[in-house]
Amino acid sequence: MEVGGIQALRRWRAEQTGRVGLVPTMGALHSGHQALMTRARSESDLVVASIFVNPLQFGADEDFVQYPRPIEEDLKKCEEAGVDFVFAPALAEMYPSAPEVRVVAGRMGAVFEGAARPGHFDGVLTVVAKLFTLIDPDVTVFGLKDIQQYVLVKRMIADLNFDIELIGLPVVRDADGLAMSSRNTYLAADDRARALAIPRALNAAAEVAERGRGATGSGASVAGAAAGSGGAGVDLPAAVEAAALAELEPVAERGELEIVYCSLVEAATLRPCPPGFTGSALLLVSATVGGTHLIDNLPLEF
Ligand code: PAF
């Protein structure tokens, strides 16, 4: 495995003829990242993992400085996962000066995580576009935990004509159900227990969606879909959202968690699902627990 910055990458890349897979990361790698690398391995001849904590995607009050950077452990994990080249550029190489020209994420970048973190997705898309240009991959693998990021990268690939196949890998969870995240290391034990309200909310929503589908066959608007309601004409998207909120709200009322958003949206547009919606949807959930910002989501078909 080689490790290097821009010059070493350019030299290495010029020598390669096989299909190249890219896994972009900010380091602090866990087994979720290794799953992305393993998938990239199975989709290509050579795997590049990038490790770069991108300042452009952090707000002024966010954790850019304290973001974990365990580079030696990260390199071991890359080696274990069969990575061929770790692109780990220095900050001054990637941004010799503050970039004037950036990718703008647009409406889908201004909602949910974008509303809570203004400019975040412009920063993400700018660095991802730079990584695509530098590494020139044939395929790239992203985790679906950061679902809004995935939707935006997909849109950028289409809108800016990158000739790159995008693969999304389902959320990888710890045994207790919490979605794996580099930021989970910030959670104290009692906060981690509180954070489990998030996977419980997704499970409750999944159950209501499943029951609703059973009730209608198609799953649009159902009678009695909401947990034990037995009522007529319940709107399934609203019932699904309500089921998730019913898990989160009591924990929030005890002051143990702050709900940032809990919304059912159309997967392609991130717009709220109207009553009777049919098609692919996403339940997006974000909460702050003990000062740590957590996100999770559930894909649903109606
Ligand atoms: O998902 C991440 O870790 C980052 O947003 C990414 C895609 C590596 C860009 O910095």
Side-chain angles (χ1 to χ4, degrees):
M1 183 178 84
E2 279 189 52
V3 183
I6 293 181
Q7 264 197 349
L9 171 75
R10 287 202 203 279
R11 227 179 6 249
W12 178 86
R13 188 65 183 91
E15 288 162 4
Q16 311 308 325
T17 49
R19 189 171 150 85
V20 171
L22 166 66
V23 178
T25 83
M26 297 205 300
L29 303 178
H30 49 66
S31 47
H33 293 110
Q34 286 182 303
L36 304 180
M37 292 167 190
T38 304
R39 180 61 188 272
R41 174 88 273 151
S42 72
E43 298 285 337
S44 49
D45 304 309
L46 296 150
V47 177
V48 179
S50 63
I51 298 180
F52 178 67
V53 184
N54 172 38
L56 245 51
Q57 67 191 76
F58 288 79
D61 55 345
E62 292 182 19
D63 55 347
F64 173 68
V65 173
Q66 89 239 36
Y67 197 85
R69 290 167 173 84
I71 188 69
E72 290 310 320
E73 284 101 315
D74 283 352
L75 293 179
K76 270 192 216 124
K77 286 180 184 147
C78 289
E79 184 102 59
E80 275 167 27
V83 170
D84 297 284
F85 193 101
V86 177
F87 178 52
L91 184 58
E93 267 189 301
M94 286 296 270
Y95 302 116
S97 58
E100 285 289 328
V101 177
R102 300 179 189 212
V103 178
V104 175
R107 180 193 58 81
M108 286 198 294
V111 291
F112 301 109
E113 284 307 288
R117 307 176 69 188
H120 170 69
F121 287 114
D122 294 359
V124 169
L125 293 186
T126 301
V127 82
V128 171
K130 282 164 76 78
L131 294 171
F132 285 175
T133 305
L134 286 161
I135 296 159
D136 188 22
D138 299 283
V139 57
T140 186
V141 187
F142 278 70
L144 293 178
K145 183 177 83 68
D146 296 313
I147 189 72
Q148 194 174 357
Q149 168 172 282
Y150 173 85
V151 169
L152 282 162
V153 169
K154 185 172 176 183
R155 191 61 203 242
M156 179 178 76
I157 286 175
D159 286 353
L160 300 187
N161 299 94
F162 283 107
D163 188 12
I164 299 171
E165 184 191 346
L166 174 65
I167 294 175
L169 229 63
V171 180
V172 180
R173 298 181 182 281
D174 280 322
D176 60 5
L178 193 66
M180 283 190 185
S181 163
S182 305
R183 289 196 170 98
N184 290 354
T185 56
Y186 298 155
L187 291 170
D190 53 347
D191 285 333
R192 184 166 178 117
R194 291 163 179 160
L196 296 183
I198 300 173
R200 278 204 310 276
L202 298 184
N203 286 338
E207 274 172 33
V208 170
E210 189 53 42
R211 239 176 291 152
R213 269 193 296 272
T216 62
S218 75
S221 180
V222 296
S229 74
V234 174
D235 181 62
L236 187 53
V240 164
E241 209 174 271
L245 278 166
E247 287 293 333
L248 294 170
E249 277 170 352
V251 189
E253 276 156 23
R254 290 198 299 273
E256 296 178 351
L257 158 159
E258 261 173 64
I259 303 168
V260 183
Y261 53 79
C262 173
S263 299
L264 189 73
V265 298
E266 297 180 23
T269 63
L270 304 182
R271 290 189 198 280
C273 285
F277 172 77
T278 55
S280 300
L282 294 165
L283 179 65
L284 305 178
V285 175
S286 170
T288 304
V289 185
T292 300
H293 183 74
L294 299 173
I295 58 172
D296 206 337
N297 71 87
L298 175 74
L300 287 167
E301 288 299 320
F302 288 95

